[in-house]
């Protein structure tokens, strides 16, 4: 695999280390990695060096991964902290103490070993094939995986799940007779302080010949116990299992009349003695819903399923909850489940892969959205509840790593926000720009910032208005189809008619979902008078003439934002043209071609959504712009 | 392949021959087939037999395929006629002279050699895999193909194209290095008087190493000439080539700035000396249309492309035109192109495979529709213009041949109507019932007739109203999605808004399509006052309150027909329950399960279409029935 684009990989161009004499004390694999990275960045190792990386910091204060910078001395309590300190210095970091806010910062790969006939090799992947497997076999040359481990470590990631949560037949063998492939990858990631986890099928015992996967059966416990012992004999620092159970057709404990706690605790028991954890996904809902039955609300499902189980999960179970109650839409409220599990270890899941946000054909820098969710702008603050952050990866064997070269920023920013949820997402953007284009002139840096900083808001504007969501083509989820999911079993509706649009999720007259939030948010969302505009149609069915806080009617908001969003996409393309000749040609052309597609797609969104609502409402645009 | 269901295959149960002593005169392969069939039907061959099959009829009067029955003597001018006469007698046919109205009666198989990742092995096939290929190889056991050839011969078919008109890489080799497979199949079909044709790619010379497929280049002519010589050296009675060119991504003469006539005549020249023909499909339109541009009308495309070429095609070119201007919807007007080619040999194409008519999960007996089109009820009469009839086959390796056991009737009826377009489709239905259930009690025959006779009209009622069409899920085309194709590049729109629905195809204010018809049809369709209700929305954009000839408004017609259609589907299921115990269990259960799905699907159609138009129009059902 050719690596066209080294992204923010440490390199000689990284001035803060390049040409300096560096003293590193301590020993062990991760300290060796620190030494290797210093050499790679152009520094020379010297026992008399004046830039010092040393162990001996206070373990209580710094933990495994923290470090402190005092002048030219970087001190950590453990080698992993030293590695983070090194990347901090490579970024040109300043003095002071740093440690991660969240202990586990994880990427979930949705990679398959085989190429799945419908989903491809990487499910919801927009960056080519898997970094780990090719033609159904492990890659022989792991150079790229090694470079990837560096990328992740440099952004602060410390755990990866290697394979798709939808575990198909071939991939089920990674846990057993193909475990050697996992071990080899774990060896690569280990050098960068990253632990490897595996997605497993709850039905694995059945796939391997047992008559049942019932979590309360002794033979099932024994099967998991043996399988897990074998895993740890092979990979002593294995992270644990990731499970999607009883969801979208995946098997789970419901088949045996058992609860999710029964299921998760079964695996937790097998992992406990080795320090491993189970990530148990809370993405559970009825995907065979009858659209005619308005009493059922998919947004309620995760909360309804899991709050009764709070306090019943084993200590090494991590309940993994998507950030919103639906599924990674460009705008959702924080999932109320996140606020309702005081007795459960909680991981919140983001989606770095841009399934619903332009599929890495559109520029859509997501960190401002994540930051709002983490800090609690307009809803509960995820950072106050989550013990871990997890994200679905956006990488593949594409030469630019992420399909769209600018989509790398999302991967980087996820790692940085997981380290520090209070970080300013635009400062992180500038950090990424600087690291990725170290020798770039101001014009390029300014242009990149201008194109990317508001790109999530632009995407939101030209796609689904006011939090309504899911106006996408069914299946692949790219491009507009306003009614695409309206009459399907998936539970994602907008109920638009000639008078209005949106889902009444109030306690008073709707599905009651708003009541799942703690005060004051339940009251805030309950009334259109206090509900933020951005979520107006998520919580309320409103007439087209309803006046928003912005002073605009719902229908005029739809028209205005769609015209504005498409215009902003066109402006991004214009801006990029200014840097022709300043960026390497292959990257320039890749981005330019993708911006053409983004402009085309944004106009398609604009015209379809506007035409749909104009045909339904009959209300003309007050500026008289063209609606088809 | 197990043959559970012998359908209308000649068998001992066929009383008219069974146990009789039969004298057959003449010799040759087809006469041998006649003898074999008599034995298979339980008759004994006897030089003194009193039922006589003999050659010696008047060739001018009877042609190759005609025959006359005079008491116990069946006389033909050629062996092929004798075979038809035999099947006529096996059906219990009466005295008189019969000959086919159309010289070629052909089935097009859309079979691939390989299993296509999206389309499966049989494109738009709903009856399992291919009869001809398995796992990428020709089937070794051709017993089923032999039985299939008998089925087709017994219904009157005399030509088949073996492979998909979308010619993929593997299938391109059937013309060249895999020709042996075609020859073997041709040998099987030959015994039943059926000639074999092959779908070819216009780009075949390029696939085989030439730099061009330009029809005016000498090397291209030579390539086709050599390839064709090789085909006829191997299969002396080969039928010819079938070509989908410059359509939906298939290559064609447009790539070289040449016309369809240039393309078709190239292949015709190669085939002429051997008596072969080119079937050149007229299914050509822009499938990358901009839905925003209402001046383009896909319905116009075939006429606009091909009428200027009338008279320029070689004598052995057959222009193959779909029966309607769009694509096999449950209701379309006759394609005006069919009326506009006096100087061109014309084949009209039907679709026996039920792509848009329930995909062989719904009972939908299509012969009443074909009969209306052939005889010209409400439009030009196809039978007055077509020299040949062609249909896309609905068969596969399913034990019942056609997935839904009752879908066999469509295959049978197509053959019978191609032989005699004036035949009564309900008489043909009864003929099929009698042949397929020879020993059935009256209850079963009556029930089958009751379920099937009006099933096309029922399907039309619960799906797309008033000729509007294409309210199906994109891609697979099963189930409702009213806006599924509304904002796509495919050119199939209904333009529904809060005030009305339908496509203005008038000359006065619309796309002008109505003007492509000869008088009086152009005038009939031009005005809503004279346009038949069934086509009202095909030709006009009408307000929901527009009163139809039926006296109902458009919106009330939509509601009424959808409630009625779903009710009729439920009645079919009830009727079938009456014959439990009368039909073989496997067939009973297969049909019963499919009727469950039909009822479910019909209710889904009813509720989605009604909800869609209620939400848009705001007009309540005047009977106050439940709309969601």
């Amino acid at each position: 695999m050719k690596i066209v684009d080294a992204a923010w990989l440490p390199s000689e161009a990284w001035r803060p280390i390049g040409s300096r004499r560096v003293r590193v004390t301590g020993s062990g694999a991760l300290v060796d990695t620190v030494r290797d990275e210093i050499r790679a960045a152009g520094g020379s190792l010297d026992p008399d060096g004046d830039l010092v990386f040393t162990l001996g910091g206070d373990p209580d204060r710094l933990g495994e991964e923290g470090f402190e910078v005092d002048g030219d001395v970087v001190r950590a309590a453990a080698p992993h902290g030293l590695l983070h300190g090194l990347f901090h210095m490579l970024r040109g970091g300043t003095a002071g103490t740093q440690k991660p806010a969240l202990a586990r910062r994880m990427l979930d790969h949705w990679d398959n070993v085989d190429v799945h006939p419908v989903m491809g090799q990487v499910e919801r992947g927009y960056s080519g094939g898997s970094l780990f497997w090719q033609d159904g076999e492990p890659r022989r040359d792991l150079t790229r995986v090694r470079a990837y481990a560096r990328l992740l470590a440099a952004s602060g990631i410390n755990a990866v799940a290697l394979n798709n949560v939808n575990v198909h037949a071939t991939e089920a063998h990674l846990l057993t007779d193909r475990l050697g492939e996992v071990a080899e990858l774990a060896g690569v990631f280990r050098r960068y302080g990253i632990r490897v986890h595996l997605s497993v099928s709850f039905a694995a015992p059945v796939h391997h010949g047992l008559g049942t996967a019932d979590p309360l059966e002794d033979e099932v416990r024994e099967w998991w116990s043996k399988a897990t012992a074998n895993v740890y004999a092979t990979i002593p620092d294995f992270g644990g299992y990731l499970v999607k159970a009883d969801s979208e057709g995946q098997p789970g404990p419901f088949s045996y009349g058992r609860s999710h706690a029964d299921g998760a605790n079964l695996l937790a028991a097998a992992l406990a003695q080795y320090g491993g954890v189970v990530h148990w996904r809370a993405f559970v809902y009825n995907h065979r819903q009858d659209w005619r039955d308005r009493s059922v609300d998919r947004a309620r499902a995760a909360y309804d399923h899991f709050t009764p189980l709070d306090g019943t999960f084993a200590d090494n179970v991590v309940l993994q909850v998507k950030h919103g109650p639906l599924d990674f839409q460009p705008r959702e409220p924080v999932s109320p489940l996140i606020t309702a599990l005081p007795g459960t270890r909680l991981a919140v899941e983001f989606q770095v892969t841009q399934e619903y946000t332009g599929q890495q054909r559109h520029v859509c820098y997501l960190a401002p959205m994540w930051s709002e969710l983490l800090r609690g702008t307009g809803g509960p603050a995820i950072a106050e509840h989550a013990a871990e952050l997890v994200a679905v990866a956006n990488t593949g064997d594409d030469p630019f790593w992420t399909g769209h070269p600018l989509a790398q920023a999302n991967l980087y920013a996820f790692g940085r926000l997981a380290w520090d949820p209070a970080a300013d997402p635009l400062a992180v953007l500038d950090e990424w720009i600087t690291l990725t284009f170290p020798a770039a002139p101001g014009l390029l840096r300014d242009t990149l910032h201008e194109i990317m900083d508001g790109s999530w808001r632009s995407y939101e504007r030209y796609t689904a208005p006011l939090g309504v969501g899911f106006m996408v083509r069914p299946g692949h989820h790219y491009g507009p189809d306003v009614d695409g999911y309206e009459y399907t079993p998936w539970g994602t509706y907008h109920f638009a008619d000639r008078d209005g649009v949106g889902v009444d999720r109030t306690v008073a007259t709707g599905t009651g979902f708003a009541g799942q939030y703690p005060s004051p948010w339940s009251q805030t969302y309950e009334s259109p008078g206090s509900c933020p505009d951005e979520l107006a149609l998520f919580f309320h069915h409103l007439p087209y003439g309803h006046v928003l806080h912005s002073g605009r009617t719902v229908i005029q908001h739809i028209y205005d934002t769609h015209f504005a969003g498409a215009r902003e996409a066109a402006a991004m393309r214009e801006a990029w043209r200014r840097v022709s000749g300043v960026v390497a040609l292959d990257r320039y052309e890749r981005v330019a071609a993708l911006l053409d597609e983004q402009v085309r797609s944004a106009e398609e969104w604009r015209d379809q959504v506007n035409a749909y609502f104009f045909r339904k409402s009959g209300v003309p645009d007050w500026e008289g712009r063209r609606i088809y």
Side-chain angles (χ1 to χ4, degrees), chain A residues 278-444:
Chain A
V278 182
H279 284 89
W280 191 267
R281 287 178 97 229
F283 184 53
V284 175
Y285 67 98
N286 174 12
H287 69 288
R288 300 185 189 280
Q289 195 176 319
D290 188 340
W291 60 270
R292 289 167 282 217
D293 178 2
R294 293 207 190 186
S295 72
V296 180
D297 181 5
R298 170 169 162 183
R300 294 186 56 109
Y303 183 100
D304 287 342
H305 275 292
F306 286 94
T307 51
L309 300 176
D310 188 38
T312 68
F313 290 102
D315 287 346
N316 62 333
V317 171
V318 186
L319 196 68
Q320 183 167 322
V321 183
K322 292 193 181 192
H323 68 74
L326 287 180
D327 192 12
F328 301 132
Q329 298 305 293
R331 176 72 71 173
E332 290 186 49
V334 164
S335 168
L337 178 60
I338 290 170
T339 69
L341 298 167
T344 304
R345 186 169 177 87
L346 184 74
V348 172
E349 182 178 312
F350 290 148
Q351 195 180 42
V352 182
T353 192
Q354 292 171 232
E355 178 177 358
Y356 294 99
T357 51
Q359 302 197 349
Q360 286 144 250
R361 285 184 258 181
H362 296 223
V363 178
C364 185
Y365 179 58
L366 291 166
M369 176 175 84
W370 298 332
S371 178
E372 287 189 10
L373 295 166
L374 288 164
R375 296 195 279 188
T377 311
I382 288 174
E384 290 173 14
H385 300 278
E388 306 184 357
L389 282 187
V390 177
V392 187
N394 67 343
T395 38
D397 70 359
D398 173 68
F400 295 96
W401 292 103
T402 51
H404 201 308
L406 306 188
Q408 292 172 4
N410 287 325
L411 181 61
Y412 183 77
F414 170 73
R416 299 291 288 141
L417 289 179
W419 181 280
D420 177 13
D424 173 4
L426 298 188
V428 172
L429 172 62
D430 288 333
E431 200 176 277
W432 176 80
I433 291 171
T434 303
L435 294 177
T436 304
F437 303 85
L443 170 67
L444 177 57

Side-chain angles (χ1 to χ4, degrees), chain A residues 8 48-49 122 140 210 222 239 244 263 277 314 381 394 400 408 430 584 601-602:
Chain A
W8 64 88
D48 299 322
V122 180
R140 285 191 199 146
L210 244 61
E222 275 163 35
K244 175 178 178 178
V277 295
N394 67 343
F400 295 96
Q408 292 172 4
D430 288 333
S601 176

Side-chain angles (χ1 to χ4, degrees), chain A residues 499-582:
Chain A
D499 302 314
V501 55
V503 188
D504 184 351
R505 293 194 162 105
T506 64
V507 175
T509 56
T511 69
F513 169 74
Q516 291 186 340
Y517 287 87
S519 188
W521 298 110
S522 53
Q523 295 90 325
T524 302
Y525 297 144
E526 177 75 12
S527 158
S530 51
C531 184
D533 280 356
E534 293 80 14
L535 296 171
L537 300 181
F538 193 95
F539 284 102
H540 302 281
H541 186 89
L542 297 174
Y544 293 118
H546 172 87
V547 178
L548 299 163
H549 301 301
S550 67
R552 284 187 293 202
T553 60
V554 166
I555 189 72
Q556 193 58 43
H557 174 96
I558 293 173
Y559 297 153
D560 286 351
T561 51
H562 283 79
F563 283 113
R567 209 166 46 230
E568 287 157 19
M572 289 181 199
R573 177 166 66 178
E574 286 311 303
W576 185 249
R577 286 178 180 158
R578 294 202 303 264
V579 300
S580 168
V582 182

Side-chain angles (χ1 to χ4, degrees), chain A residues 23-57:
Chain A
R23 175 153 64 97
V24 180
T25 70
S27 63
L30 282 182
V31 179
D32 288 344
T33 301
V34 169
R35 291 195 173 92
D36 291 347
E37 290 298 321
I38 287 167
R39 277 188 292 255
S44 58
L45 292 168
D46 184 338
D48 299 322
D50 52 355
L51 175 57
V52 180
F53 289 86
T54 182
L55 294 174

